[in-house]
Amino acid sequence: MSREHEYENFEALRQNEQEDVDFSVTARAVAESKVAIVAPHGGGIEPLTAELAESIAGSNHNYYALRGLKKRGNKVLHITSHRFDEERALTLIGPCEKVVSVHGLAGDKRSLQIGGRDEALRNRVHQALESAGFESEVVTDGAYGGMEPGNICNRGSTGAGVQLEIHAGLRQMMKEDVATYNRFVDAVRSAL
């Protein structure tokens, strides 16, 4: 489905889609953590992003995912990151000092782009991923820069987070190779 058919916000999605049929929401709070790992486009929307976010969160960080559950046509459930306003997500990440959102990019490249307003964390994640052998690029402008104050990654208590945009080629590689998957997760976790 083309971009103009995506929902403007969560209320528009809620009016047209059925929770636990067309999409699901998982919000898991960890009381002592000030870190949230978020996948606003999980399931069939951007495959493997929710699984990666959950693995990065582990048992010691807050975790949120909205997953597309449709047999096909999940792209309609994609709410642009700077318009993502699902209340359970905002409640979970509001008190968090560090928010990392995990997204998928199209394309066969086995690389990722890292954006967001938290320059220090963004650079740590970038360096950790490069040290682990991943092709990573810091992007601070354009569609994947994650610089809008309203971007879900920037909605924590500091107003600055990190956005990971992972190409489909790299996600496919991680899906097929558990060692690569674990290396990616461990690298991001080490930067937190």
Side-chain angles (χ1 to χ4, degrees), residues 13-68:
L13 185 150
R14 186 196 331 257
Q15 288 174 9
N16 293 282
E17 308 288 347
Q18 190 176 343
E19 187 161 354
D20 297 324
V21 174
D22 300 311
F23 70 94
S24 68
V25 170
T26 305
R28 188 181 71 223
V30 177
E32 56 280 354
S33 179
K34 291 290 184 193
V35 174
I37 314 297
V38 180
H41 309 135
I45 308 167
E46 293 172 353
L48 204 67
T49 59
E51 294 83 350
L52 282 166
E54 188 168 20
S55 295
I56 293 165
S59 59
N60 54 335
H61 297 306
N62 298 291
Y63 166 68
Y64 173 89
L66 186 145
R67 285 184 173 88

Side-chain angles (χ1 to χ4, degrees), residues 96-100 116-119 121 146 149 153-162:
C96 291
E97 294 168 7
K98 291 182 175 28
V99 179
V100 176
R117 297 166 65 100
D118 186 335
E119 187 177 347
L121 181 58
C153 78
N154 298 321
R155 300 285 294 266
S157 63
T158 63
V162 171

